[in-house]
Amino acid sequence: MQKLQEKPVTVSREGDVLIELDRVGKRFGEAEVLRDVSLRVNRGEFVSILGPSGSGKSTLFNMITGLLPADQGEMKVSGEIGYMQQKDLLLPWKTVMDNITLPLRLKGTNKKLARERADALIDRVGLRGYEDQYPGQLSGGMKQRASFLRTFLASGEIMLLDEPFGALDSMTKSGMQTWLLEVQESFGATILFITHDIEEAILLSDRIYVLSSRPGVVKEELTVGFGLGDKRERLLDPQLLRMKEAIKRLL
Amino acid sequence: MTRRIRPDQRLYPFLALLAVIVLWQLIVTLADVPMYILPSPTDTVNALIDDFGAIAGHVGTTLYESALGFLLSIALAFVLGILMDSFEIVRKSLYPILIVSQTVPTIVITPILIIWFGFGMLPKVLVIVMVCFFPICISLVDGFEKVDRDYVNLFRAYKSSKLQTFLHLKLPYAMVNFFSGLKIAATYLIMAAIIAEWQGGTKGIGVYMVRAKNAYALDKVFASILVIVLVSVVLIAVINRIGNQATHWRSR
């Protein structure tokens, strides 16, 4: 908490906090995975958790989604959470449309309405014309976009993205990053993003929490203060390199 | 698609089989082997044509028993499979017993079943279920169990009910396994029916074969074998087809 008070959040657009963690800790048997992790995510923000592998990033995610209980500390999550991983987790026996509408259908939304909602957004994820294909027929990037739309429809309030582009090749990856920025803008989604790619974190985020490895401790909370108008221009900004170096030293 | 480009792949076993048949015919003809020792391929085909009516009738009975036993096996496998998947205690209690039960020789159980249930259809159907139920059930249970944890977590995050998770995730996931179990069961199916018929009955291709054997009409025995093989191959092909349809998303 102290860290948060030292660095007041500047990007908070509406001020309401959707996720708040206060000194959360987790251990699996002997191994301490997370210690005193405090963080918060405000509405409409893009927050990244950056850390090396083994820093308990995914454990943190599982705790926020409620799949794992926390051992210590307090956790407040207001709003529904959509969860997306590196693996697209599309069901190979369902068409793209049926995959995207699955969470709505599970909630009891009728088929027609679910399809209408998905149909309204399918252009934005660039999957128009692929509705009746099966995931096996799509490219890696398309699968991740389908997975993203499914996550968004499951819950547009808070989206937890766990290294969603980790399995993509670098060209597809950079395309997907640009796409994610556009989509976040137009959907107005709140995103908590996990990555171990420093550049990716700087490019996409409003704020970054840098996690150390085993046990995962928040080493630093950084606000990305440049390229606020168009994040895509950050790639050309020399400040990106400086920030990257600073983060590298932290890790 | 790739298969159509290279049709010769399927030709190999046909040619090999043809070679064996020709060799067999030559040996029988040249060495003048009597029919009650070894009928030639032409004898076999002739017997099949001559006695087709009788054979077809008996095969009909066998197929009826088989269909009944097969469907019953599938139903039972589903019921038990779902129970074992839903309740850990059921699985822990039954799974090892099921596996050990397969070491009991069916051929010894059959006469006992006949003593209990007579010469009618029931003991045959029971034998078929004993043989076919196991591979279907085990493959189904393994299929349910193998579902990726990440998918299970995803469904949990979507607050999916147990039934929804079963219908949308576990059942389709297990279909691949289910059909491979079904194929194994299908290869045993007709054989199981015949083992049961062989040991006592009034109708069925197994009964017909016993009668033919006792009359030293080996050509008719061979004709029956030919029919059994053909029926089994068709059966497996049908199951293959249905399986490919049901899991069409795999091949894409």
Side-chain angles (χ1 to χ4, degrees):
Chain A
M1 256 338 235
Q2 254 188 332
K3 216 147 226 169
L4 285 177
Q5 275 149 14
E6 279 169 20
K7 286 179 185 257
V9 179
T10 50
V11 205
S12 162
R13 285 169 199 170
E14 288 166 48
D16 46 349
V17 181
L18 292 186
I19 301 175
E20 184 156 30
L21 267 62
D22 187 14
R23 292 172 208 214
V24 168
K26 179 78 191 172
R27 45 171 65 240
F28 292 117
E30 290 292 288
E32 190 175 22
V33 184
L34 292 167
R35 184 194 293 165
D36 283 341
V37 174
S38 300
L39 62 84
R40 70 170 160 175
V41 180
N42 301 307
R43 187 182 297 279
E45 241 186 336
F46 196 125
V47 176
S48 287
I49 296 171
L50 177 65
S53 44
S55 55
K57 294 175 302 226
S58 294
T59 306
L60 194 61
F61 257 38
N62 285 330
M63 279 161 47
I64 295 171
T65 44
L67 291 173
L68 276 175
D71 294 344
Q72 283 171 355
E74 267 186 77
M75 216 160 57
K76 262 184 271 168
V77 177
S78 35
E80 267 185 276
I81 283 178
Y83 184 69
M84 177 178 164
Q85 298 189 351
Q86 183 174 340
K87 282 160 86 180
D88 57 73
L89 295 182
L90 297 172
L91 303 174
W93 51 84
K94 285 185 187 286
T95 61
V96 169
M97 184 49 102
D98 286 341
N99 263 297
I100 291 172
T101 53
L102 177 73
L104 292 175
R105 304 276 293 128
L106 290 177
K107 268 192 237 169
T109 314
N110 79 52
K111 195 168 182 167
K112 195 163 163 274
L113 197 72
R115 278 173 178 263
E116 274 171 17
R117 284 193 57 192
D119 197 66
L121 297 170
I122 206 150
D123 278 322
R124 306 241 188 115
V125 293
L127 289 172
R128 173 74 65 203
Y130 293 94
E131 296 95 328
D132 295 326
Q133 306 261 46
Y134 288 85
Q137 297 166 292
L138 303 185
S139 70
M142 288 163 94
K143 280 191 246 185
Q144 282 304 60
R145 293 201 298 263
S147 177
F148 181 90
L149 184 52
R150 179 178 66 179
T151 309
F152 182 77
L153 285 174
S155 154
E157 283 190 280
I158 309 168
M159 298 183 74
L160 262 58
L161 311 183
D162 186 354
E163 299 197 29
F165 310 141
L168 301 177
D169 61 272
S170 64
M171 294 245 284
T172 314
K173 186 173 176 171
S174 90
M176 291 293 287
Q177 288 166 345
T178 313
W179 170 83
L180 180 61
L181 284 176
E182 284 165 10
V183 167
Q184 195 223 354
E185 219 164 87
S186 62
F187 286 5
T190 306
I191 295 177
L192 183 57
F193 191 90
I194 281 188
T195 181
H196 57 243
D197 182 333
I198 301 174
E199 208 174 277
E200 181 172 67
I202 301 173
L203 172 67
L204 298 173
S205 315
D206 299 318
R207 281 188 301 120
I208 303 170
Y209 288 95
V210 182
L211 232 57
S212 67
S213 66
R214 215 157 280 265
V217 179
V218 176
K219 280 216 161 165
E220 186 80 74
E221 184 205 338
L222 300 161
T223 302
V224 185
F226 62 96
L228 292 175
D230 187 353
K231 286 180 179 172
R232 269 157 288 174
E233 280 168 17
R234 283 179 184 172
L235 276 179
L236 308 170
D237 200 314
Q239 286 193 64
L240 182 129
L241 291 175
R242 250 174 273 143
M243 196 161 194
K244 199 172 163 181
E245 279 310 306
I247 293 174
K248 264 191 188 157
R249 256 178 273 124
L250 279 172
L251 290 172
Chain B
M1 284 293 257
T2 46
R3 273 202 201 127
R4 212 172 281 164
I5 296 163
R6 305 189 61 186
D8 47 325
Q9 291 289 345
R10 292 197 206 183
L11 230 55
Y12 289 109
F14 275 111
L15 289 177
L17 194 63
L18 198 67
V20 171
I21 290 170
V22 168
L23 203 66
W24 171 12
Q25 181 74 46
L26 280 175
I27 291 170
V28 173
T29 317
L30 294 177
D32 211 11
V33 182
M35 203 199 276
Y36 58 85
I37 301 289
L38 180 67
S40 73
T42 43
D43 293 335
T44 305
V45 174
N46 283 336
L48 179 60
I49 294 165
D50 290 344
D51 217 8
F52 188 77
I55 290 177
H58 285 292
V59 167
T61 307
T62 305
L63 279 180
Y64 183 65
E65 292 163 0
S66 302
L68 218 60
F70 203 51
L71 291 178
L72 216 62
S73 303
I74 295 173
L76 197 64
F78 262 95
V79 170
L80 221 60
I82 291 168
L83 278 177
M84 283 204 267
D85 179 61
S86 313
F87 305 102
E88 184 70 13
I89 187 157
V90 179
R91 194 177 66 83
K92 275 188 179 154
S93 316
L94 291 187
Y95 199 94
I97 296 176
L98 270 182
I99 290 177
V100 173
S101 77
Q102 288 307 296
T103 59
V104 176
T106 323
I107 206 148
V108 182
I109 299 292
T110 322
I112 301 171
L113 289 177
I114 291 173
I115 292 169
W116 290 348
F117 301 111
F119 291 103
M121 204 167 270
L122 185 58
K124 280 92 181 171
V125 172
L126 288 178
V127 169
I128 293 170
V129 171
M130 277 171 53
V131 172
C132 293
F133 156 76
F134 178 77
I136 303 174
C137 187
I138 293 297
S139 60
L140 206 52
V141 171
D142 287 348
F144 289 148
E145 206 165 278
K146 262 202 266 168
V147 175
D148 196 327
R149 291 302 305 166
D150 289 333
Y151 279 103
V152 176
N153 280 341
L154 182 79
F155 272 72
R156 261 208 279 171
Y158 291 153
K159 299 191 177 62
S160 161
S161 72
K162 260 197 152 180
L163 180 67
Q164 285 175 325
T165 306
F166 179 77
L167 289 177
H168 289 283
L169 179 63
K170 287 192 166 179
L171 191 62
Y173 203 98
M175 274 304 113
V176 178
N177 257 346
F178 169 71
F179 276 101
S180 55
L182 213 56
K183 252 184 274 175
I184 296 171
T187 54
Y188 294 147
L189 175 63
I190 307 289
M191 207 169 65
I194 287 164
I195 287 174
E197 287 168 356
W198 190 276
Q199 301 193 45
T202 50
K203 211 160 187 293
I205 194 69
V207 176
Y208 175 86
M209 281 168 86
V210 173
R211 288 180 191 159
K213 187 203 65 161
N214 290 342
Y216 290 98
L218 279 199
D219 51 344
K220 287 181 183 172
V221 176
F222 273 61
S224 310
I225 294 173
L226 182 63
V227 171
I228 292 163
V229 169
L230 288 177
V231 166
S232 295
V233 167
V234 169
L235 194 71
I236 293 166
V238 167
I239 288 173
N240 243 335
R241 212 187 156 90
I242 297 173
N244 286 342
Q245 289 273 307
T247 58
H248 61 91
W249 42 270
R250 281 173 76 222
S251 53
R252 308 217 187 208

